[in-house]
Amino acid sequence: MSFNTFGHLFRVTTFGESHGPAIGGVVDGCPPGIRFRLEEVQAALDKRRPGQSRFTTQRREPDEVKILSGVLAEADGMLTTTGTPIALLIENVDQRSKDYAAISESYRPGHADYAYDAKYGLRDHRGGGRSSARETAVRVAAGAIAAKVLTGVTLTGALVQMGDIVIDRANWDSAEIGRNPFFCPDAAAAARMEAYLDGIRKAGSSVGAVIEVVAEGVPPGLGAPLYGKLDADLASALMSINAVKGVEIGEGFASAALTGEANADEMRMGNDGRPVFLANHAGGILGGISTGQPVVVRFAVKPTSSILTPRHTVTRHGEDADIVTKGRHDPCVGIRAVPVGEAMVACVLADHVLRHRGQVGTPPVWPFPR
Ligand SMILES: Cc1cc2nc3c(=O)[nH]c(=O)nc-3n(C[C@H](O)[C@H](O)[C@H](O)COP(=O)(O)O)c2cc1C
């Protein structure tokens, strides 16, 4: 299975399966001299960790990350990157492979089982093997390091829709995101989601979600037209997350319903003598290049395919069958996809910061030369 690496200058490679001894990865290309604490990487992983509420899988994984290389431990407890590959290791400690006996023979509708067999002719069925989102823990650890490369950038991920419950943006309170088990910025919507997801969970069903990630403080100039556009790279990175079926930037699909006047991000000269945008329908990216406005991305996560409700399928021996997927599964994988989305955005932005530096060196200052 090739293609386990993403990024150009800030490059992340991951390895490992859901029920193997460990998962891990290598961050290659992180600049030297970046300082961070191991606890900061661990805190990012703790946001994604399973078993933290009744609304996520009850698999008990501490997700304790070890950094094996690429950093120097300082006397003040900080780690400083040396510019050499940073190896990350997270042990798997709570596998229950017997739960997956049924899926070694039958394909879960909506999961990757059939497609893996169709491609490779064999697969590690235990916990979904490499197709399991267990791998996304490594992305989160890499994203925490990427975030340190992004000086002055603030990343906020939030769940803005679960099933047909959509947040009311008038209720947006960033402090609320950390207060409920859904990373939802609207307290009233979060309360409705709680009752709704309890019903879904008890019925042995699952539901999808929409996640929004906003990056504030992104400098203008990131993104390389034409085939290294920032929006294209963000879409690719977010689409690579398990269960993601749609990505949009700024106004996204809704822009199709707007007129040119409504969609125009008009400009005026600001009080500081620099141009300002009067709206951000573009989601902070024009021509594949960041404008300095907040970068706004959303992605849709489908409902978990491993459900307790029987579904029609076939076995690998060519028989019709019904499948009930046991094991410990998230009733809404969109919840734990929030920190994964933040991590992927951080990795892409860090990669583009380095690429921009590589090509442009010192960025132009306003007023721009002709
Ligand atoms: C954080 C996270 C957790 C997930 N947990 C589960 C799970 O418990 N059960 C399941 O069937 N799918 C889960 N998924 C989704 C599957 O990994 C995914 O549907 C599968 O690999 C097939 O890929 P695709 O949906 O992108 O086509 C999870 C996804 C994410 C992002």
Side-chain angles (χ1 to χ4, degrees):
M1 182 177 159
S2 44
F3 295 98
N4 295 287
T5 301
F6 67 96
H8 292 262
L9 294 187
F10 189 94
R11 266 169 99 71
V12 179
T13 302
T14 74
F15 65 83
E17 286 82 24
S18 176
H19 288 200
I23 52 174
V26 173
V27 176
D28 193 11
C30 184
I34 304 287
R35 281 164 58 79
F36 62 95
R37 289 184 185 279
L38 184 61
E39 294 75 25
E40 294 175 291
V41 181
Q42 192 58 54
L45 280 163
D46 289 348
K47 272 176 79 175
R48 185 211 150 275
R49 194 156 51 86
Q52 300 196 82
S53 79
R54 66 184 187 277
F55 302 109
T56 59
T57 169
Q58 295 306 301
R59 183 170 169 171
R60 298 273 164 202
E61 288 290 356
D63 279 354
E64 202 178 296
V65 64
K66 290 195 181 91
I67 300 188
L68 307 181
S69 65
V71 293
L72 293 174
E74 307 287 0
D76 60 0
M78 302 287 281
L79 300 174
T80 303
T81 61
T82 57
T84 60
I86 302 169
L88 306 159
L89 192 75
I90 301 168
E91 280 173 34
N92 292 328
V93 300
D94 186 22
Q95 304 99 320
R96 234 196 258 163
S97 299
K98 66 176 170 37
D99 286 341
Y100 293 88
I103 68 159
S104 67
E105 299 295 313
S106 301
Y107 302 117
R108 283 171 294 178
H111 212 289
D113 309 332
Y114 176 77
Y116 267 54
D117 266 3
K119 181 173 175 73
Y120 302 109
L122 76 171
R123 75 194 138 94
D124 179 354
H125 67 275
R126 303 161 309 151
R130 184 76 178 149
S131 75
S132 162
R134 180 97 195 98
E135 179 270 349
T136 60
V138 185
R139 304 178 191 217
V140 170
I145 297 170
K148 292 290 165 184
V149 177
L150 298 171
T151 42
V153 176
T154 311
L155 281 166
T156 308
L159 186 144
V160 296
Q161 180 175 348
M162 178 191 290
D164 58 9
I165 303 176
V166 184
I167 63 151
D168 179 351
R169 283 184 182 265
N171 293 344
W172 187 293
D173 174 3
S174 295
E176 184 56 34
I177 296 171
R179 281 195 214 121
N180 60 70
F182 309 119
F183 302 112
C184 178
D186 172 355
R192 295 209 306 283
M193 287 171 186
E194 191 159 342
Y196 174 63
L197 198 54
D198 263 334
I200 292 280
R201 195 171 52 90
K202 285 178 188 150
S205 183
S206 63
V207 72
V210 176
I211 289 90
E212 181 169 295
V213 181
V214 178
E216 287 171 281
V218 175
L222 305 192
L226 291 173
Y227 300 111
K229 290 183 173 181
L230 182 59
D231 40 3
D233 284 353
L234 285 168
S236 171
L238 292 170
M239 204 57 149
S240 78
I241 300 172
N242 315 42
V244 172
K245 297 307 271 186
V247 178
E248 57 180 22
I249 314 280
E251 207 66 54
F253 276 78
S255 64
L258 297 180
T259 60
E261 308 87 271
N263 189 55
D265 293 335
E266 294 181 278
M267 299 178 79
R268 280 280 181 254
M269 290 309 297
N271 295 335
D272 62 355
R274 297 173 57 84
V276 288
F277 289 96
L278 307 184
N280 189 17
H281 297 289
I285 303 172
L286 291 169
I289 302 172
S290 62
T291 60
Q293 292 225 81
V295 170
V296 182
V297 297
R298 272 179 300 281
F299 57 97
V301 179
K302 73 187 191 187
T304 325
S305 51
S306 303
I307 49 175
L308 287 168
T309 311
R311 296 284 89 190
H312 294 339
T313 189
V314 297
T315 69
R316 65 189 180 93
H317 310 292
E319 301 139 342
D320 286 343
D322 280 352
I323 187 163
V324 168
T325 309
K326 302 214 181 80
R328 297 159 293 174
H329 300 280
D330 295 82
C332 175
V333 297
I335 302 169
R336 292 199 299 129
V338 175
V340 183
E342 289 175 332
M344 293 308 279
V345 171
C347 289
V348 171
L349 291 177
D351 189 38
H352 273 279
V353 163
L354 302 182
R355 288 160 68 177
H356 181 50
R357 196 188 292 169
Q359 188 189 15
V360 176
T362 312
V365 287
W366 179 264
F368 304 137
R370 284 182 59 87

